[in-house]
Amino acid sequence: MRYNHLLLCACMGAVASIAQPAIGLSTLNTTPTTIATSLDLDGEGSATTHIVKVSDITFSTDNSTGLTLTLTSDSLSKVDGADIDFQVTTVGNDAIAPSSAAFTVASGDSYTYVTETSGTESRDVYLRYTPKALQDPGHYSASIQASVVDN
């Protein structure tokens, strides 16, 4: 079993990787989108729910029983401002954006996606968030922890 942990900082703007060697051969690669570091926070008296693609993710395993991808969300936070909770989900590579109903895991909880065979798969990572109508202006940061583990 091999674990790859990626910490995606500033809304997936930077990537740091820590890998632990093991028996299987799993890989995980993320590529943030350009919008990931400039999310719309509304805040001028009205607010809407935003669904935004923040990363392309590719993972693979040579394990015949597949792997489990786990994404753990946090909140968009500002030291002296109100946090904005967000949810995370994935869709197939280059698929249409998911609807609000596709975001079934609460902010802060772990979203999982399971494959059942060996191979490589690419998916798109989306956030769903709703800022406050009078959201504090300024710089917000967030992280999504991504990991894969062989089944």
Side-chain angles (χ1 to χ4, degrees):
M1 196 178 314
R2 177 180 171 160
Y3 300 93
N4 288 319
H5 297 278
L6 291 162
L7 181 60
L8 310 175
C9 303
C11 296
M12 317 265 292
V15 177
S17 177
I18 302 170
Q20 298 173 338
I23 300 168
L25 181 59
S26 300
T27 63
L28 175 63
N29 183 38
T30 63
T31 305
T33 62
T34 56
I35 198 168
T37 58
S38 59
L39 299 176
D40 187 357
L41 299 182
D42 300 327
E44 297 176 0
S46 65
T48 58
T49 297
H50 300 270
I51 296 175
V52 180
K53 178 181 170 185
V54 293
S55 182
D56 292 305
I57 190 166
T58 302
F59 45 90
S60 67
T61 184
D62 61 357
N63 185 334
S64 62
T65 60
L67 59 75
T68 299
L69 166 70
T70 303
L71 301 174
T72 304
S73 64
D74 197 357
S75 60
L76 293 160
S77 58
K78 181 177 183 240
V79 173
D80 58 350
D83 291 352
I84 305 167
D85 289 340
F86 66 87
Q87 295 171 280
V88 62
T89 194
T90 66
V91 297
N93 188 47
D94 295 331
I96 62 170
S99 69
S100 285
F103 293 86
T104 58
V105 177
S107 178
D109 289 345
S110 294
Y111 162 87
T112 58
Y113 176 80
V114 179
T115 66
E116 296 180 357
T117 61
S118 63
T120 299
E121 187 168 344
S122 296
R123 298 190 63 81
D124 298 333
V125 178
Y126 279 84
L127 298 184
R128 178 185 179 269
Y129 65 97
T130 305
K132 292 183 172 45
L134 297 173
Q135 189 70 45
D136 295 328
H139 178 75
Y140 287 75
S141 62
S143 65
I144 298 172
Q145 181 177 326
S147 65
V148 293
V149 61
D150 288 329
N151 295 335

